[in-house]
Amino acid sequence: MTEPHVYPEAYGAAHGGFSLVPAAYVFLVDDRGRVLLQRRANTDYYDGWWAAGAAGHVEAGESVHAASAREVLEELGVVVAAADLEPLTAMHRTAPTGLPVDQRLDVFFACRRWKGEPALQEDKATDLAWFDLDALPEQVVHHERFVLDGWRDGTLSPVSAFGFAADADAAPTPPTTADAARAEVPGAAAPHEVSYGAASARDIRELIDFWAGAGENDSRPTDTPEAVERLLARDAHALIVARLDGRIVGTVIAGYDGWRAHLYRLAVAPDQRRRGIGRELMRRAEARLAAFGVTRFDAMVLAHNDLGRSLWSSLGYAEQHEWRRWVRPAAT
């Protein structure tokens, strides 16, 4: 057998300018189907959030299987065999920063066999706990939550993408068992599914009408098409909308000024509330802002909006009593 070829130096200089940072993730799974997560700390990245029990970069010359086994030993103190690593997905991931460090290839595994008792070995985490896939904590690192949710629901593709705005709207959803069952029943109607994506200029008039009916703050300045157009021109992906049968049923604005991350205009159509739309909008908004590297989110919530306050509280937000919002009209 001939030796594998290597790229010539000139070819590498012409085509090797872009690279992906490879990383390995391992979810240990116990005999009850629970996954082991660690609460991150002291990393300046998603500190306080839950993440895979073991994860880390693949070193030069190291296979992703060897990296996975090494990370499990270093972070949890247990030994796993490469043969026991079950592939979940290989994720191509990016972030709006465009920085080289944000161009990733993340390979996720599940593992149901190991030697030893898992325990934290490093100061990069403060807690270790088992969770059912249908009872995950609210704050799970966003791209890892994407994997866990898809794994639980049976919709996770062997090759996935995360953080690409165009792909998020265009990527087809893999068929589920329920889809197959409906296909076998003549005349069975497909369920009404909510889709999510960035608003565009063609949505402006509908957005104005939607906020007039779903908004909670009668004292806010009057919404105008010009104001929404300016927002979209400045940050085309800040305004996230939920649609049902083509109509807008939810919104949130995830704004970032380079210093602070702001969340506002979280609204859901009254007839669509308590369906998880607001929660999913927030998951997507936080994922967008976290990709910029922000360390804290803040939200504008009306004091008398009990339903909204309940949602924000359930998402881990807390009222900051030592601060008050001060406003005055801009000069005209």
Side-chain angles (χ1 to χ4, degrees):
M1 181 179 293
T2 61
E3 292 294 319
H5 291 198
V6 297
Y7 289 113
E9 185 176 341
Y11 185 96
H15 301 283
F18 174 76
S19 62
L20 297 174
V21 179
Y25 297 71
V26 180
F27 295 111
L28 296 188
V29 185
D30 70 4
D31 56 6
R32 293 168 54 186
R34 300 178 304 174
V35 294
L36 186 63
L37 303 182
Q38 61 168 269
R39 190 192 291 271
R40 296 177 59 89
N42 305 315
T43 67
D44 292 329
Y45 182 75
Y46 277 102
D47 286 342
W49 290 58
W50 292 92
H57 293 156
V58 179
E59 303 295 343
E62 183 180 40
S63 74
V64 70
H65 296 91
S68 298
R70 173 179 54 78
E71 291 291 344
V72 171
L73 181 61
E74 291 176 354
E75 298 191 14
L76 299 176
V78 300
V79 176
V80 301
D84 291 324
L85 295 171
E86 304 171 18
L88 296 178
T89 189
M91 173 186 285
H92 184 196
R93 177 164 59 95
T94 191
T97 63
L99 296 173
V101 72
D102 284 323
Q103 313 312 312
R104 298 273 177 160
L105 179 61
D106 300 327
V107 183
F108 290 82
F109 296 99
C111 185
R112 304 172 193 275
R113 290 163 53 94
W114 58 87
K115 295 180 180 178
E117 187 66 27
L120 292 175
Q121 305 294 309
E122 302 175 334
D123 64 355
K124 295 187 298 182
T126 58
D127 198 5
L128 196 64
W130 296 95
F131 294 95
D132 291 319
L133 285 174
D134 58 359
L136 295 171
E138 195 65 47
Q139 290 188 317
V140 176
V141 173
H142 290 94
H143 64 282
E144 299 186 38
R145 181 64 178 253
F146 175 90
V147 172
L148 291 170
D149 286 348
W151 183 24
R152 177 198 63 207
D153 298 338
T155 59
L156 185 63
S157 171
V159 179
S160 56
F162 186 90
F164 297 88
D167 292 345
D169 291 335
T173 301
T176 63
T177 302
D179 294 330
R182 279 196 306 275
E184 296 173 1
V185 180
H192 298 287
E193 295 183 355
V194 179
S195 62
Y196 299 84
S200 66
R202 65 178 177 270
D203 297 316
I204 291 178
R205 174 45 60 189
E206 186 179 359
L207 285 164
I208 300 293
D209 294 340
F210 172 77
W211 285 329
E216 300 288 345
N217 187 359
D218 294 335
S219 65
R220 69 175 183 261
T222 302
D223 295 322
T224 65
E226 293 76 19
V228 182
E229 188 174 1
R230 285 195 299 271
L231 168 66
L232 297 179
R234 184 181 185 278
D235 188 345
H237 300 287
L239 178 46
I240 303 168
V241 298
R243 304 177 195 273
L244 179 64
D245 295 333
R247 71 180 178 100
I248 293 175
V249 295
T251 66
V252 67
I253 298 176
Y256 178 59
D257 60 11
W259 186 262
R260 289 188 174 90
H262 304 278
L263 294 155
Y264 49 104
R265 288 302 172 92
L266 177 61
V268 176
D271 64 333
Q272 297 298 322
R273 291 173 183 169
R274 300 188 183 279
R275 293 188 54 196
I277 294 174
R279 189 175 295 273
E280 177 61 17
L281 284 166
M282 280 300 304
R283 187 185 70 81
R284 291 168 180 264
E286 288 181 348
R288 177 178 193 269
L289 296 173
F292 290 112
V294 301
T295 59
R296 185 177 68 170
F297 309 123
D298 71 65
M300 294 170 54
V301 186
L302 283 171
H304 67 267
N305 183 357
D306 293 335
L307 183 61
R309 289 166 63 90
S310 175
L311 173 61
W312 289 105
S313 178
S314 72
L315 292 173
Y317 290 75
E319 189 172 357
Q320 204 168 20
H321 295 283
E322 65 270 27
W323 290 92
R324 293 292 184 272
R325 185 177 176 220
W326 290 38
V327 300
R328 81 172 181 87
T332 58

